[in-house]
Amino acid sequence: MSRLSELRLDLKSGKFLRAASFGWLMAAVLVIHCLALSTIVFSGPLAPFAVQGAGMMLFGGVVFCLVAGVASSYPGILACPQEVPATVLGTLGAAVAAGTAGAPGQAAFMTMAAMLVASGLLTGAFFLAVGRFRLAGLFRFIPYPVAGGFFAGTGWVLSLAALSVMSGTALDWQSLPRLFDASVVWKWVPGAAYGLVLAAVMRRRGNLAVMMGSVVLAGALYHLGLVLLDIPVDDATARGLLFPGMPDGGLWPAFGFGDLGQVDWGVVARQVPNLLTVTLVTLLCLLVYVNGLEVATGVEVDLDREFRVAGLAGMCAGAGGSAPGCQSFVFTLPCRAVGVDSPWNGVVVALVAALILFFRSGLLEWLPVSIVGGLLLYVGLDLLDNWLIRVRGRLHWTDYGLVLLICAVIAVFGFIEGVAAGMLATLALFAVRLSRLDAVAEEFAGDGRRSTRVRSVPDRVLLRERAAFLRGFRMRGYLFFGSVHPLADRLGQALGGTPAPRCILLDFSAVSGCDLSAVNVLGRFVRSAISAGVQVVVSAASPELEENLRHDVPAGAGGGLRFEPDLDHGLERCEDAVIALAEAELSGSPAGARGRLLDRSAAGLERYLEEQIHFEDLLERLGPWLEPREYEAGETITVRGEPQDGLQFLAAGRVSVHDADGARSCQCGPGDVLEPRAAFAEYAVSATATAIAFSPCRAMVLTPDARAMLESDDGELCLRLFAFLVRRSSRGGTPVETIGRMPAG
């Protein structure tokens, strides 16, 4: 259903009435929220422009709510300018004031407004690009401690900004003692008390109705106090206790194109790194808030679409001077709680807020600065509570230490330094944790894993007796400087083991990559192994790793290092080396040693010969119903998915069977059966695997028609055939679904 159709449908139902009723309350909250953001951005020397700034922020609130309401993938979502990017922008006020010192006050305002516009356009364009090219998934993996430390640091800066707004003094670490001057303390104590009480109440029983009621009650008590102290409204406004009156004609537009000539573009250019930080922190806000909505409501959100929505709204709002924003978890969740899940929610909030924005109202003129400052203090304390106190029991001590580190760096040095320190610390912590992971997924000897190649009975006996001569290691993950040295120590221990290995297999099929230091360490191990007379077989190596390892092998020692495409062929290569070594030892041994080998192989040979006798006898009796086929080495016998005209008894030669990915899954020899179900189905069945002749092969084919004739001509022989297939399948699968395979012995 399109969003326009959904709006029309909700207009005829009760959803529109609920959205219209609740929208007035949310619009009032949005107005106070935008005014608070204005006091964050326009604080200290820029405080006289807080009302104009409120118009810019409220314009952004109108745009964000309207665009999110009609375009978001989450019905009923609300969006607005966010306090976190506004807090970062607010830290730039001192730089703007210093850069425009000596110029008219309007120059400082317009320079800050230009920075707001640039930040909004930059952030919106970035979000649009992320959503357009569907890159949102790349940003879901921002480490939780980095986000937590960032929000905790924002809480500290926001709390400090609240005290600055209420006291009318720009505060930093050096100027904090000024708060206790007799002329200042009475300005911020009422608002601080209100913020602390509100934080305590909201933590126990928090909802927007309580917060709005507290604003009305605190404002009434504040004005009652002014009356009791005999302080006129005009005098209170002059002292900075109340906000100055609204400009004629409404709050927006706060500036025109002609005012752009007063912008100090040099100051704006010097703050570009900070503006990029604003984009980053807004990105964090969007990810945290949208993910929070998914967890809290169970509604799946299209993150790429939400990026496009935030990008479009951000560019439009930024053009009007608003701080960057995104979808709001705090505003949306109460709407969901009262059942307002209609797109009309955002539309109604935007329309009500627009009435306040474009038409003169006395609301802001009666709102005490201390009340807005108290609200800011509550938001800051809430961030500190959520990201420093409540998460303590949920995080490992290293992750919690990272949160504290980022928060402290932001509080002392600033947002750019805090985010940079957090990312560096996260990378270092990640490297340490990754180095503790075992780079070896599996270590095995020759009796722990066998290749799928068919071996003769004597060869199987040799491999079983000399299993310790073959050592294999399956690596995993990303091999880098932190994990490769423990791996090298482990390989070195295997090289010096007892008995000494004759062949070492290194499998890289589960390795995602290697850095240069890991390649160098592996190269040193390969040289040590070759010099000790041990053959090294490397399987599933990347072309880059293969090239680097070949480069590390000394001239004339290339035979000591072999490369195979997968683990199975690597095992086959190692088994060949062990068998060749064993045969060389036996050839130089007395005849009695070779005789003892035959004695140890006798039982296996006897079983094999018995099976071959039964197989050949069965083929002889089935002769009238079988068709012979010859295959050359390398010729394809069956292709996975292609129709088969019958089962095939392999009478001579060897066949390699490959899975859907092309890897060899097994080898078949005389006595095995290919595609047994093809003779028993009444329709053409498809091959379950691809079989390729490893050597010249001879097969005997039993077609479905021949099998039907066999049933009618010789039922006893047909039963014997079925019993043979069942015995074979019990060792290698079922005769209907898989290819029979000669047992490994």
Side-chain angles (χ1 to χ4, degrees), residues 351-648:
L351 292 176
V352 175
L355 293 175
I356 301 174
L357 176 66
F358 294 109
F359 298 96
R360 182 176 177 84
S361 170
L363 173 64
L364 299 183
E365 301 173 18
W366 288 88
L367 194 60
V369 174
S370 291
I371 302 304
V372 177
L375 287 172
L376 293 177
L377 182 62
Y378 153 68
V379 175
L381 293 176
D382 186 61
L383 287 173
L384 289 170
D385 180 46
N386 286 327
W387 297 97
L388 279 186
I389 299 176
R390 299 192 183 189
V391 301
R392 177 62 189 91
R394 297 162 48 197
L395 295 179
H396 188 268
W397 69 267
T398 54
D399 291 332
Y400 187 70
L402 191 58
V403 172
L404 292 176
L405 172 66
I406 298 174
C407 179
V409 173
I410 289 176
V412 176
F413 298 103
F415 280 95
I416 293 180
E417 294 84 354
V419 173
M423 295 304 295
L424 291 175
T426 300
L427 292 176
L429 186 61
F430 175 75
V432 171
R433 288 177 173 174
L434 192 61
S435 65
R436 293 178 179 175
L437 294 177
D438 193 352
V440 178
E442 180 186 4
E443 180 178 354
F444 55 88
D447 55 352
R449 272 184 176 269
R450 288 281 304 278
S451 73
T452 58
R453 179 174 175 176
V454 173
R455 300 285 184 183
S456 66
V457 173
D459 285 350
R460 294 202 294 270
V461 172
L462 290 175
L463 289 175
R464 185 169 59 248
E465 292 180 345
R466 289 164 172 76
F469 289 170
L470 190 161
R471 300 296 299 275
F473 297 87
R474 295 190 65 223
M475 271 75 75
R476 63 183 173 188
Y478 184 81
L479 303 182
F480 71 113
F481 61 89
S483 61
V484 74
H485 290 289
L487 171 63
D489 293 339
R490 192 164 175 180
L491 294 177
Q493 292 173 4
L495 194 61
T498 303
R502 297 293 184 266
C503 185
I504 290 182
L505 171 63
L506 304 178
D507 178 62
F508 288 83
S509 56
V511 173
S512 59
C514 302
D515 70 357
L516 187 58
S517 60
V519 174
N520 291 336
V521 172
L522 290 171
R524 288 199 298 270
F525 166 75
V526 170
R527 291 195 297 270
S528 299
I530 294 176
S531 64
V534 178
Q535 185 177 68
V536 179
V537 178
V538 178
S539 62
S542 65
E544 295 80 7
L545 177 61
E546 180 175 344
E547 180 181 356
N548 287 322
L549 290 181
R550 288 188 187 277
H551 183 268
D552 286 338
V553 176
L561 177 64
R562 298 287 186 177
F563 292 89
E564 295 296 340
D566 52 45
L567 176 61
D568 185 50
H569 285 86
L571 286 168
E572 180 182 345
R573 172 73 69 176
C574 291
E575 292 168 357
D576 289 341
V578 172
I579 292 172
L581 180 63
E583 290 176 344
E585 293 175 352
L586 289 173
S587 64
S589 301
R594 294 191 294 273
R596 286 192 295 273
L597 172 63
L598 290 176
D599 291 340
R600 294 192 300 273
S601 305
L605 285 170
E606 184 177 356
R607 289 196 305 271
Y608 174 70
L609 291 175
E610 288 179 356
E611 290 180 355
Q612 289 302 107
I613 290 172
H614 289 306
F615 177 72
E616 292 174 2
D617 179 63
L618 179 63
L619 287 189
E620 183 178 357
R621 295 190 60 182
L622 290 173
W625 293 276
L626 299 179
E627 300 176 6
R629 289 185 186 174
E630 303 288 338
Y631 299 98
E632 297 296 329
E635 185 176 353
T636 300
I637 300 176
T638 65
V639 177
R640 178 183 175 88
E642 290 191 1
Q644 301 299 299
D645 58 357
L647 70 81
Q648 301 191 49

Side-chain angles (χ1 to χ4, degrees), residues 629-645 648 650 654-659 674-675 687 689-697 699 739:
R629 289 185 186 174
E630 303 288 338
Y631 299 98
E632 297 296 329
E635 185 176 353
T636 300
I637 300 176
T638 65
V639 177
R640 178 183 175 88
E642 290 191 1
Q644 301 299 299
D645 58 357
Q648 301 191 49
L650 190 59
R654 283 187 293 167
V655 174
S656 294
V657 181
H658 301 267
D659 59 21
L674 305 181
E675 301 297 341
T690 298
I692 301 174
F694 185 80
S695 62
C697 298
I739 297 177

